[in-house]
Amino acid sequence: MAERIPIGSDHAGVELKARLIEELEALGYQPVDMGTGDSKSVDYPDFAHRVAAEVERGEAWRGILLCGTGLGMSYAANRHPGVRAALSWTPEIAKLARRHNDANVLVLPARFVSEQEGVEILRTWLDTPFDGGRHVRRVEKIESGTRYAEP
Ligand code: RB5
């Protein structure tokens, strides 16, 4: 069965999102468009929370978000326990976000990458596994939070 991948954007990311949905379908995934649907101005957290909540609840094991800079989507998505949303502006960043951080949400800065770069970043993120090893401990420490704030 095709992997279901929720994908959301605000108005700034809507065009690139459409291109990524096409790419996901061509690759055999089942992208689920969580909005927005057009270029009318909307609030990015509404879409970040929809996608991140699916990953938090385990309804999807990964998701995709786009906004102008990718920053607002990252802030909102990373409020969800278990979500590691990685703002990725090159394929290399996306690769390391998977290899070292086990990133389960890809965030793209739609106003700062071309369509072709966006597709390349997506494909790299989809195809790169987590390295595991020493990175498991580090990723676990993200979730355990303030316990590690003491020197
Ligand atoms: C919308 O103009 C813009 O603020 C949004 O797409 C994003 O860049 C926010 O972080």
Side-chain angles (χ1 to χ4, degrees):
M1 205 172 75
E3 181 192 340
R4 183 179 174 281
I5 302 186
I7 177 168
S9 76
D10 69 355
H11 51 287
V14 76
E15 277 182 35
L16 183 55
K17 182 182 64 174
R19 176 67 188 89
L20 298 190
I21 287 173
E22 267 179 28
E23 189 69 18
L24 286 163
E25 284 169 348
L27 291 169
Y29 293 95
Q30 187 199 336
V32 180
D33 190 350
M34 312 288 283
T36 189
D38 57 39
S39 57
K40 186 169 143 285
S41 183
V42 289
D43 298 338
Y44 57 83
D46 297 340
F47 305 92
H49 290 311
R50 278 184 204 168
V51 169
E54 289 223 359
V55 176
E56 178 185 351
R57 294 192 293 251
E59 291 162 12
W61 77 272
R62 49 190 178 173
I64 301 167
L65 289 165
L66 308 92
C67 66
T69 59
L71 292 168
M73 287 296 195
S74 306
Y75 303 145
N78 279 315
R79 294 294 184 103
H80 291 254
V83 168
R84 291 175 299 281
L87 173 55
S88 302
W89 58 97
T90 67
E92 194 57 25
I93 300 275
K95 184 183 286 184
L96 289 169
R98 287 290 313 132
R99 289 187 54 192
H100 289 190
N101 313 125
D102 198 14
N104 52 13
V105 173
L106 172 67
V107 186
L108 285 150
R111 288 185 173 143
F112 296 89
V113 292
S114 67
E115 193 175 284
Q116 198 184 329
E117 288 167 334
V119 168
E120 196 54 38
I121 292 165
L122 171 71
R123 293 179 73 119
T124 303
W125 179 78
L126 287 169
D127 291 346
T128 306
F130 179 43
D131 276 3
R134 68 188 184 281
H135 300 293
V136 172
R137 181 182 68 247
R138 294 168 185 172
V139 168
E140 283 170 358
K141 286 185 178 183
I142 296 173
E143 289 301 320
S144 38
T146 53
R147 275 198 303 126
Y148 289 92
E150 297 301 318

